[in-house]
Amino acid sequence: MNKIIKQLNIKENLFGIDIYNTDNLIPVRSNLEKYYLPFEDKNLKDHYQVCKIYIINSHNKESIEFSDPLKGKEKFNKVEKNAYRRRYIKGLNKKKEFFTTVMRLLSNVEVKAVI
């Protein structure tokens, strides 16, 4: 995991949490290198700008490679497909709001996909 974090050039310290040291983080599942980040006790009054989105997937390679920045419809489709709980959007009658939010987000964000 540390190799991937370094390759993505992610900040070493996120809200005061050393993300290179996973010893004090709680695993999502015991067999995964995925961890909960405890935001509940952090002061999150500040807003943070999203500058990049990485569309990830699983593979068995030793390293990761990313596409050139996605553009247009491909950029929108990749982000829309990976939205958290996107199946609820239609059921809650939020398609227009979702579309507007994603378009506003993508106007200033670079999106790359693992290849």
Side-chain angles (χ1 to χ4, degrees):
M1 182 170 96
N2 290 344
K3 188 187 324 181
I4 293 172
I5 289 172
K6 288 177 184 174
Q7 191 171 346
L8 293 175
N9 195 24
I10 296 174
K11 290 183 179 181
E12 292 181 24
N13 187 307
L14 182 65
F15 304 118
I17 301 167
D18 179 2
I19 60 174
Y20 286 113
N21 181 3
T22 57
D23 295 341
N24 296 322
L25 296 177
I26 300 167
V28 173
R29 286 197 309 246
S30 61
N31 59 339
L32 291 178
E33 284 191 67
K34 279 180 138 179
Y35 303 90
Y36 291 106
L37 290 176
F39 291 113
E40 298 82 23
D41 58 343
K42 304 298 176 199
N43 183 355
L44 297 178
K45 291 181 183 174
D46 296 329
H47 294 269
Y48 296 91
Q49 181 178 354
V50 176
C51 57
K52 292 183 183 181
I53 296 175
Y54 294 98
I55 306 297
I56 58 175
N57 58 37
S58 60
H59 59 72
N60 294 323
K61 299 176 187 175
E62 286 293 317
S63 63
I64 56 175
E65 292 180 46
F66 291 99
S67 66
D68 290 332
L70 303 176
K71 301 203 181 300
K73 186 176 179 180
E74 183 181 22
K75 181 178 180 179
F76 177 85
N77 288 342
K78 287 281 190 184
V79 171
E80 187 270 338
K81 182 181 176 191
N82 285 279
Y84 180 67
R85 293 190 174 179
R86 73 182 174 113
R87 66 177 185 227
Y88 294 115
I89 295 166
K90 184 177 180 182
L92 294 171
N93 200 25
K94 300 282 185 179
K95 285 178 75 174
K96 183 177 179 181
E97 183 179 325
F98 175 74
F99 178 81
T100 303
T101 301
V102 172
M103 290 305 291
R104 195 169 10 139
L105 170 68
L106 295 181
S107 68
N108 296 312
V109 172
E110 179 180 88
V111 178
K112 292 183 176 185
V114 171
I115 53 174

